[in-house]
Amino acid sequence: MTTHQPDRGRDDDEDLAGVLTAVGPRLRALRRERGTTLAQLSETTGISLSTLSRLESGQRKPTLELLLPLARVHRVALDELVGAPETGDPRIRPRPFVRHGDTYVPLTRNFGGVHAFKQILPPRDPALPPPELKVHEGYEWLYVLSGRVRVLLGREHDLVLTPGEAAEFDTRTPHAFFNAGTQPAEFLSLFGPQGERIHVRARPSKPSAPPSEGRS
């Protein structure tokens, strides 16, 4: 009597194909998260624009020669870039990166859905005009840990947030935020695609029983 043995080779091939197929969307999401164009990425890595475009669309098979410079530019580990299986270690090893003088510390591994960052804003010359307001798809939530963060939202809101204060807004509203103090400002930022907002749920406390009236 013979027993059917599963074809491990075929399963491994399918797993590998799945990993490689997912690389393109990860590359695209990571590039957009960093606010980088294909042309800028091509100039930085030396990889042709057409190759980068085909990688993101899945028309070009990712190779180590292509992925190493992309991982270096995006400041992520190679296994994170290709979505390597988890090893059981729940710890996140953030790799800070700097953009326009601000330091970002990623607090999540995922490339889709909501992203969490710790952001550090250096002191800014108060004589400088406010930065240009920007617009993009998404929804953002900020919670100030230290310092003072000035938040501009359209023409209606000009706020200064201090430690313990939070703000959330649709990023399609023209906005900008920057350090409003003389010391570095730190805050937590949650950013997600349009429609993904922060949902706070609190269980209401039990109403206290009315005091019993004394009996005569």
Side-chain angles (χ1 to χ4, degrees):
M1 180 176 179
T2 59
T3 57
H4 176 70
Q5 298 293 329
D7 189 344
R8 297 300 305 167
R10 180 180 299 176
D11 291 344
D12 291 342
D13 289 344
E14 290 177 355
D15 290 344
L16 178 59
V19 169
L20 294 179
T21 300
V23 170
R26 286 176 181 274
L27 288 172
R28 182 184 296 111
L30 188 58
R31 176 177 59 79
R32 290 177 176 175
E33 176 189 315
R34 299 289 195 265
T36 306
T37 66
L38 280 172
Q40 290 171 332
L41 194 58
S42 175
E43 183 177 352
T44 305
T45 61
I47 302 172
S48 71
L49 190 62
S50 62
T51 297
L52 290 173
S53 178
R54 292 170 62 203
L55 270 176
E56 290 191 0
S57 64
Q59 298 176 7
R60 174 68 182 264
K61 184 177 179 179
T63 64
L64 192 60
E65 183 181 8
L66 295 173
L67 293 180
L68 279 176
L70 289 170
R72 185 166 53 250
V73 168
H74 289 315
R75 298 177 184 271
V76 298
L78 187 60
D79 58 350
E80 186 177 349
L81 189 62
V82 299
E86 296 291 339
T87 60
D89 187 347
R91 291 172 296 180
I92 295 174
R93 296 176 174 82
R95 293 175 178 268
F97 61 93
V98 178
R99 186 190 302 165
H100 306 304
D102 301 339
T103 301
Y104 295 77
V105 183
L107 302 178
T108 47
R109 288 192 180 107
N110 62 308
F111 290 93
V114 176
H115 299 270
F117 295 92
K118 178 181 178 182
Q119 192 166 339
I120 305 169
L121 306 178
R124 190 172 184 274
D125 185 349
L128 292 174
E132 181 182 355
L133 303 185
K134 297 183 179 180
V135 177
H136 53 86
E137 288 291 325
Y139 203 84
E140 188 150 3
W141 179 88
L142 309 177
Y143 178 84
V144 178
L145 298 171
S146 64
R148 293 160 53 86
V149 179
R150 185 176 174 187
V151 181
L152 306 179
L153 295 174
R155 299 180 179 178
E156 294 79 18
H157 301 288
D158 185 345
L159 313 169
V160 175
L161 304 181
T162 55
E165 292 188 309
E168 59 177 322
F169 55 92
D170 187 323
T171 54
R172 292 178 300 183
T173 302
H175 63 279
F177 45 85
F178 52 97
N179 193 331
T182 57
Q183 300 296 323
E186 299 184 6
F187 63 90
L188 298 178
S189 170
L190 297 181
F191 174 78
Q194 193 59 42
E196 294 198 18
R197 303 190 178 193
I198 306 304
H199 302 283
V200 179
R201 296 184 180 182
R203 185 175 298 174
S205 59
K206 277 187 176 181
S208 56
S212 58
E213 296 181 2
R215 293 182 179 179
S216 56

